[in-house]
């Protein structure tokens, strides 16, 4: 039995219980909207994003704090522009989830294009495992589905707490890719790399103090940065690349760019290597900064546990 079958959740009769009825309603609405014309969904998403901006004061505060910390050189007017567009993209991301989970193959293939695929081909020809480092762009759901039609990958992800949502999430994300691995299955991802698979890993969030180093990220000099990336990148016969997803500026669809191999990476210097990862992430984020997930408390963990929170 493949790992895919082991991890794939089964439908349970308990999903029909009243506690899941609201989830079913939400799924039905999202599924129905996914069949609307693409531009309609973008427009609806922007409207929802404006509502989130108006009523989501807590997340608005988090996102604006992140932007002020990362871009102190930008004017308040420019930061507010990025913030509002970011919330619009958050609204669009809701419907991009439905697109990624339920669109037929022909719609995905028509809207998602991959650039730099020749770098993966070269690594495959050299019989290498492939570590694709990505960041949490808002359009990640549909792009994760889209890359599978050019090159199926193994996805390292966080299972949903709601078992019914996990049922739909797992099937949606896995439709065009090889299989999914829970975020704690480090051995599973190492095994996949040793089997010369292509694996997606996202090192851009605050995973806490354990197994993190404090290195610069944008203008924040001491940012908790996971060393988990190095566990995977240091596997024998593994090459690392950046994977940069974005929605095109003209709303024509999506572009996923695979960077050239990260040369001289990793080294035997953990601080140098995780600093390098953050620099690569910064460059990737700046391709479309309005589409990055600034709503996450990226700087929650401080170097000293007694340090005042940057989000107070």
């Amino acid at each position: 039995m493949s790992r895919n079958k082991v991890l794939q959740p089964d439908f349970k009769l308990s999903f029909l219980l009243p506690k899941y009825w609201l989830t079913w309603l939400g799924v039905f609405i999202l599924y129905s909207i996914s069949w609307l014309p693409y531009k309609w969904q973008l427009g609806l998403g922007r409207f929802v994003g404006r509502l989130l901006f108006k009523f989501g004061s807590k997340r608005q505060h988090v996102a604006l704090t992140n932007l002020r910390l990362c871009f102190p050189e930008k004017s308040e007017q420019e930061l507010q522009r990025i913030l509002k567009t970011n919330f619009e993209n958050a609204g669009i991301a809701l419907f991009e989830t439905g697109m990624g989970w339920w669109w037929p193959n022909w719609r995905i293939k028509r809207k998602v294009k991959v650039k730099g695929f020749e770098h993966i081909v070269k690594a495959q020809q050299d019989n290498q495992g492939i570590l694709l480092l990505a960041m949490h762009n808002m359009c990640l759901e549909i792009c994760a589905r889209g890359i599978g039609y050019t090159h199926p990958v193994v996805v390292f992800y966080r299972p949903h707490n709601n078992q019914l949502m996990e049922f739909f999430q797992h099937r949606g994300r896995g439709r065009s890719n090889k299989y999914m691995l829970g975020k704690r299955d480090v051995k599973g991802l190492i095994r996949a790399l040793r089997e010369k698979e292509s694996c997606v890993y996202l090192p851009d969030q605050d995973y806490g103090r354990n197994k993190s180093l404090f290195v610069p990220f944008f203008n924040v000099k001491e940012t908790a940065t996971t060393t988990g990336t190095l566990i995977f990148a240091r596997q024998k016969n593994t090459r690392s690349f950046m994977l940069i997803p974005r929605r095109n500026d003209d709303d024509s669809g999506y572009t996923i760019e695979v960077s050239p191999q990260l040369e001289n990476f990793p080294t035997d210097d953990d601080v140098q290597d995780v600093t390098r990862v953050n620099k690569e992430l910064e460059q990737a984020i700046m391709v479309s900064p309005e589409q990055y997930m600034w709503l996450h408390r990226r700087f929650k963990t401080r170097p000293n546990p007694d340090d005042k929170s940057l989000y107070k």
Side-chain angles (χ1 to χ4, degrees):
M1 183 178 290
S2 70
R3 292 183 210 97
N4 189 16
K5 294 295 183 182
V6 169
L7 283 174
Q8 184 169 294
D10 295 321
F11 184 85
K12 302 176 182 178
L13 288 177
S14 61
F15 291 160
L16 302 178
L17 293 175
K19 71 175 183 177
Y20 290 112
W21 286 359
L22 281 179
T23 303
W24 277 110
L25 177 61
V27 167
F28 175 76
I29 292 172
L30 192 61
Y31 174 79
S32 300
I33 290 174
S34 73
W35 290 96
L36 292 175
Y38 176 65
K39 292 294 180 68
W40 291 18
Q41 294 188 63
L42 295 189
L44 186 58
R46 289 189 172 98
F47 174 73
V48 171
R50 294 182 193 118
L51 290 179
L52 293 173
F53 180 80
K54 184 175 182 179
F55 296 106
S57 58
K58 182 179 293 187
R59 283 298 165 184
Q60 186 182 141
H61 170 71
V62 169
L64 185 57
T65 299
N66 286 335
L67 290 169
R68 285 171 174 163
L69 289 169
C70 292
F71 308 113
E73 75 284 358
K74 292 187 182 296
S75 69
E76 191 66 17
Q77 182 179 11
E78 175 63 8
L79 293 178
Q80 287 290 339
R81 183 197 67 78
I82 296 174
L83 179 68
K84 290 178 180 179
T85 306
N86 192 239
F87 267 78
E88 290 181 353
N89 285 323
I92 292 172
L94 174 64
F95 301 113
E96 287 170 337
T97 297
M99 300 176 203
W101 289 2
W102 295 302
W103 262 13
N105 295 349
W106 64 268
R107 290 189 82 177
I108 293 288
K109 293 177 181 178
R110 189 173 70 178
K111 287 296 183 183
V112 184
K113 306 299 180 186
V114 179
K115 295 173 58 179
F117 182 62
E118 64 274 10
H119 305 307
I120 291 180
V121 172
K122 177 63 167 59
Q124 286 180 309
Q125 292 172 344
D126 293 340
N127 200 30
Q128 301 289 301
I130 297 167
L131 180 63
L132 298 168
L133 302 177
M135 74 285 196
H136 285 81
N137 256 24
M138 295 291 190
C139 61
L140 192 59
E141 285 286 350
I142 188 168
C143 287
R145 169 96 184 275
I147 193 173
Y149 289 110
T150 301
H151 183 66
V153 298
V154 176
V155 181
F156 206 52
Y157 85 118
R158 179 185 180 278
H160 204 286
N161 294 330
N162 181 312
Q163 291 188 2
L164 179 57
M165 285 301 297
E166 171 61 9
F167 174 81
F168 286 111
Q169 174 179 266
H170 194 286
R171 279 161 170 74
R173 290 181 173 180
R175 282 183 65 177
S176 63
N177 288 295
K178 288 207 169 180
Y179 56 89
M180 314 279 283
L181 291 170
K183 68 174 185 176
R184 299 187 186 280
D185 192 359
V186 174
K187 291 182 179 179
L189 194 63
I190 290 173
R191 183 169 55 242
L193 290 168
R194 290 176 177 173
E195 292 173 355
K196 309 302 185 291
E197 299 284 7
S198 297
C199 304
V200 177
Y201 180 69
L202 290 87
D204 64 327
Q205 293 198 337
D206 188 335
Y207 296 117
R209 192 175 306 279
N210 188 34
K211 296 183 179 178
S212 290
L213 292 173
F214 289 87
V215 298
F217 183 63
F218 284 106
N219 200 56
V220 181
K221 303 305 180 186
E222 294 180 298
T223 301
T225 305
T226 180
T227 56
T229 312
L230 307 183
I231 295 174
F232 307 124
R234 286 174 176 161
Q235 294 304 306
K236 186 178 180 181
N237 298 323
T238 294
R239 295 181 184 176
S240 301
F241 306 82
M242 291 301 299
L243 188 70
I244 308 170
R246 64 182 176 88
R247 186 186 321 105
N248 299 336
D249 293 337
D250 60 0
D251 288 345
S252 60
Y254 305 86
T255 300
I256 305 171
E257 184 174 354
V258 181
S259 76
Q261 178 188 346
L262 300 185
E263 298 291 347
N264 302 315
F265 176 85
T267 67
D268 57 359
D269 185 331
D270 286 5
V271 173
Q272 176 182 314
D273 288 340
V274 296
T275 301
R276 168 83 181 277
V277 170
N278 278 357
K279 287 296 182 184
E280 296 288 345
L281 287 168
E282 289 175 21
Q283 294 177 32
I285 290 166
M286 291 310 296
V287 173
S288 299
E290 296 86 354
Q291 295 184 29
Y292 185 62
M293 192 180 288
W294 296 109
L295 285 71
H296 169 70
R297 290 196 298 163
R298 179 64 185 90
F299 309 108
K300 175 177 62 176
T301 304
R302 306 305 302 132
N304 187 327
D306 297 325
D307 289 344
K308 181 180 178 181
S309 170
L310 296 176
Y311 297 98
K312 291 293 185 182

